[in-house]
Amino acid sequence: MRTVPLAISMGEPAGIGPDLILQIYAQRQARDIPAFIVYGNVEFLRARAERLGLMINIIASSPENAPRDFKTSLPVFDMGTGIIDSPAQPDAKGAQLVIDSIAKAVGDCQAGLCRAVVTAPLNKAELKKIGFKHPGHTEYLADLCAENGNVPTPIMMLAAESLRVVPLTIHVPLAKVPSMIKHDMIVENVTIIDRDLRTHFGIASPRIALTGLNPHAGEEGAFGLEDIEEIIPAIAELKSAGVDASGPYPADTAFHLPNWNRFDVVVAMYHDQALIPIKTVAFDHAVNVTLGLPIVRTSPDHGTAFDLAGKGNANATSMRAAINLAQKMSVSQ
Amino acid sequence: MRTVPLAISMGEPAGIGPDLILQIYAQRQARDIPAFIVYGNVEFLRARAERLGLMINIIASSPENAPRDFKTSLPVFDMGTGIIDSPAQPDAKGAQLVIDSIAKAVGDCQAGLCRAVVTAPLNKAELKKIGFKHPGHTEYLADLCAENGNVPTPIMMLAAESLRVVPLTIHVPLAKVPSMIKHDMIVENVTIIDRDLRTHFGIASPRIALTGLNPHAGEEGAFGLEDIEEIIPAIAELKSAGVDASGPYPADTAFHLPNWNRFDVVVAMYHDQALIPIKTVAFDHAVNVTLGLPIVRTSPDHGTAFDLAGKGNANATSMRAAINLAQKMSVSQ
């Protein structure tokens, strides 16, 4: 019995997010899609469905009614006004809806009305224009989840069927990365990763591999000292706390395909080190998961793709994987 | 008519190099292996062949006689004395042979007696003990190729069937990479890469992709300025000089598999950026090619693997690919 639905924030109206949601709802029976409610605008979604030629009944609903409604109609928590169906033409009203719908979806999830949040892509440039201060989804979600002023540490994980990766640093210049790789930061992050893999992925003792920062993990200090001074002691501390952490492994061999089954997650030191292997091999299938939050949150690993919006040929693989993974991660709900 | 043989330096006697050479010679007919001469020691190779149970006639030969000898016997340019067949037990005499055999192979190649050099793996630690000052094979080869004190700029390329990559910086701490990525250095290196892909790979107008240094190639300066200040102007200069260079591409999507056919080589900014994708996908098949030298040189993309030496089950795929690629690259010889 599915009594608690997933919450999906509709994302940028001018992008492919609404298209993907509508396409996936249309396939709900063939693909056994779990019940969800969209945080967005009913009139807009009706117009987009018509543009795509999808015969879908779209109704205003609530988290409580969504599981029942989902069988026959796409349930929408109706927000926003004047949202125009204009693919590739973002505007301020759409941007405000994006911001508000994420907040409402997160709130309903924290209140136990929804089991997890799946976010469709947003357009940072458009959001910035109306005063959005966060670098992206992840930081906004962390802020929304703050309790008594304590903002949780969000951790981005990319998950494909056969590989999960976490970049310990993300959107920073490469020159700043080495000084950010510190013992305490590694321990804090890996401890959260370990906990969330236990609680949300049902892995009793997650096998966590860490890459080195430098080529060949520094080759015993020949190419940089961070591996010896920061990463190795952090792994030792994690081990003594009962975490099955190992490494640092040279990053160029850590992702060799036969190694993918040896670890439940590979924690890499920076953006490209983590994202090159997963995007090279699992471009369409990777799901973005935010660990470290009191709620479960996933999203597809792509952007708004304005050039494909409203055309009906956007690839729904990653969004569908995000929905299925959110359902699985929140199985105890 | 094959009148000029490949030169193979035997590599560390205690490692798998000799095993691979013997295994490949034993398969020469079934696999249509081109004629080569080994720069190494006859008595040692006979002992290793016996250990491996390979019935191979091994004789002292010369580059001139090797193509004829190769049909019935493994031709060896006999060097060194007292080289003991002791797998996983490197010693000074073996290390000296490694150094001398590379020098002699390179010399014979420069003299036109051999068409290209294929180097079997060496053990840096053992070489260091007897005073070898070079960081590795590549720098030693460049030194051997110096003319009138001018040492050529060697460039490491890893080549698999479907992907070639060059890391512009290699064995340096990650913290030093950003300051090394400079306009002139990029232009100089890519110019050599372009020339060698024309002359040695028969590519009329090589399509050369450059990655960005920072995440998302800096996202228009949001995450670092090197992409804007150094890489973009270098690409512009290369283009105006007639090189089909493009980028900088975000490194996490540049290696997406469908992109592999769009470029003849991807020039990455540092070690892991280049080596993660090729090792993830083509671990056993990648060949290490040194561009920028007056001679053609290839090597397998693995080390001495002491634990496998003398056992007969070392994987010869990369060494065989190195031999075949060296033959192809020196087709005009």
Side-chain angles (χ1 to χ4, degrees), chain A residues 22-154:
Chain A
L22 292 163
Q23 288 170 227
I24 290 168
Y25 180 76
Q27 309 166 326
R28 68 194 177 284
Q29 283 169 324
R31 296 219 182 234
D32 195 22
I33 304 293
F36 59 76
I37 176 167
V38 181
Y39 288 75
N41 182 270
V42 170
E43 284 311 313
F44 164 81
L45 282 165
R46 285 179 182 156
R48 181 61 58 87
E50 194 176 335
R51 180 189 289 273
L52 295 175
L54 292 171
M55 298 289 289
I56 297 174
N57 198 36
I58 300 171
I59 61 168
S61 181
S62 64
E64 293 84 349
N65 294 331
R68 190 198 61 208
D69 292 341
F70 189 78
K71 289 168 194 149
T72 55
S73 309
L74 175 60
V76 176
F77 189 92
D78 200 19
M79 311 177 66
T81 53
I83 311 296
I84 309 296
D85 174 30
S86 52
Q89 308 281 332
D91 64 23
K93 282 191 176 172
Q96 193 59 53
L97 175 67
V98 170
I99 295 169
D100 296 344
S101 60
I102 294 167
K104 181 65 181 158
V106 168
D108 281 1
C109 197
Q110 286 189 294
L113 297 171
C114 295
R115 55 193 290 154
V117 177
V118 181
T119 58
L122 52 72
N123 182 274
K124 266 186 259 179
E126 201 58 33
L127 263 54
K128 262 190 193 170
K129 284 188 202 162
I130 63 163
F132 187 73
K133 300 278 184 231
H134 305 277
H137 252 132
T138 306
E139 296 82 358
Y140 181 40
L141 290 158
D143 246 27
L144 290 170
C145 292
E147 278 184 64
N148 307 320
N150 294 321
V151 180
T153 302

Side-chain angles (χ1 to χ4, degrees), chain A residues 174 214 252 256 279 283, chain B residues 174 214 252 256 272 279 283:
Chain A
L174 191 72
N214 293 299
D252 59 337
H256 180 196
K279 291 210 172 182
F283 196 78
Chain B
L174 190 73
N214 293 299
D252 59 337
H256 181 195
D272 284 358
K279 290 210 173 182
F283 196 78

Side-chain angles (χ1 to χ4, degrees), chain B residues 24-315:
Chain B
I24 290 169
Y25 180 77
Q27 309 165 326
R28 69 194 177 284
Q29 283 169 324
R31 295 219 182 234
D32 194 24
I33 303 295
F36 59 76
I37 177 167
V38 182
Y39 288 74
N41 181 270
V42 170
E43 285 311 312
F44 164 82
L45 282 165
R46 285 180 181 155
R48 180 61 59 87
E50 193 175 338
R51 180 189 289 274
L52 296 174
L54 291 171
M55 298 291 288
I56 297 174
N57 198 35
I58 299 171
I59 62 167
S61 181
S62 65
E64 293 84 350
N65 293 330
R68 190 198 60 208
D69 292 341
F70 189 79
K71 288 168 195 149
T72 55
S73 311
L74 175 60
V76 177
F77 189 93
D78 200 18
M79 309 176 69
T81 52
I83 311 296
I84 309 296
D85 173 29
S86 51
Q89 308 282 331
D91 64 24
K93 282 191 175 172
Q96 193 59 52
L97 175 67
V98 170
I99 295 170
D100 296 344
S101 61
I102 295 167
K104 180 66 181 157
V106 168
D108 281 2
C109 197
Q110 286 189 293
L113 298 171
C114 295
R115 55 193 290 154
V117 177
V118 181
T119 57
L122 52 72
N123 181 273
K124 266 187 258 179
E126 200 58 34
L127 264 54
K128 262 190 192 172
K129 284 188 202 163
I130 63 162
F132 187 72
K133 300 277 185 232
H134 305 277
H137 253 132
T138 306
E139 297 81 359
Y140 180 41
L141 290 158
D143 246 28
L144 290 170
C145 291
E147 278 184 64
N148 307 321
N150 294 322
V151 180
T153 303
I155 296 175
M156 181 175 99
M157 180 168 84
L158 287 179
E161 244 173 61
S162 48
L163 179 69
R164 299 185 191 96
V165 294
V166 172
L168 274 191
T169 61
I170 311 184
H171 294 134
V172 293
L174 190 73
K176 292 203 175 157
V177 167
S179 63
M180 292 172 74
I181 299 302
K182 292 292 176 201
H183 175 282
D184 290 355
M185 172 268 216
I186 297 167
V187 171
E188 182 193 354
N189 278 271
V190 175
T191 301
I192 295 171
I193 294 164
D194 180 66
R195 184 197 68 200
D196 280 15
L197 285 179
R198 291 170 195 259
T199 53
H200 291 309
F201 288 82
I203 301 169
S205 182
R207 298 162 302 171
I208 302 178
L210 284 85
T211 63
L213 174 72
N214 293 299
H216 309 179
E219 202 164 301
E220 292 170 25
F223 318 136
L225 296 173
E226 296 89 346
D227 305 280
I228 292 174
E229 294 178 353
E230 307 292 341
I231 304 175
I232 289 174
I235 291 172
E237 184 176 330
L238 286 159
K239 275 183 178 162
S240 71
V243 176
D244 184 3
S246 63
Y249 299 101
D252 59 337
T253 54
F255 296 104
H256 181 195
L257 292 172
N259 285 338
W260 287 22
N261 294 321
R262 289 178 51 205
F263 306 113
D264 295 304
V265 64
V266 180
V267 177
M269 297 300 122
Y270 54 91
H271 185 275
D272 284 358
Q273 217 183 29
L275 269 61
I276 287 174
I278 200 161
K279 290 210 173 182
T280 295
V281 176
F283 196 78
D284 293 332
H285 303 269
V287 175
N288 187 332
V289 181
T290 310
L291 304 179
L293 300 183
I295 60 167
V296 168
R297 179 259 179 158
T298 68
S299 75
D301 182 33
H302 57 66
T304 49
F306 281 156
D307 52 322
L308 298 176
K311 295 186 180 157
N313 53 0
N315 186 337

Side-chain angles (χ1 to χ4, degrees), chain A residues 282-297:
Chain A
F283 196 78
D284 293 330
H285 303 269
V287 176
N288 187 331
V289 182
T290 311
L291 305 180
L293 300 182
I295 61 167
V296 168
R297 180 261 179 155

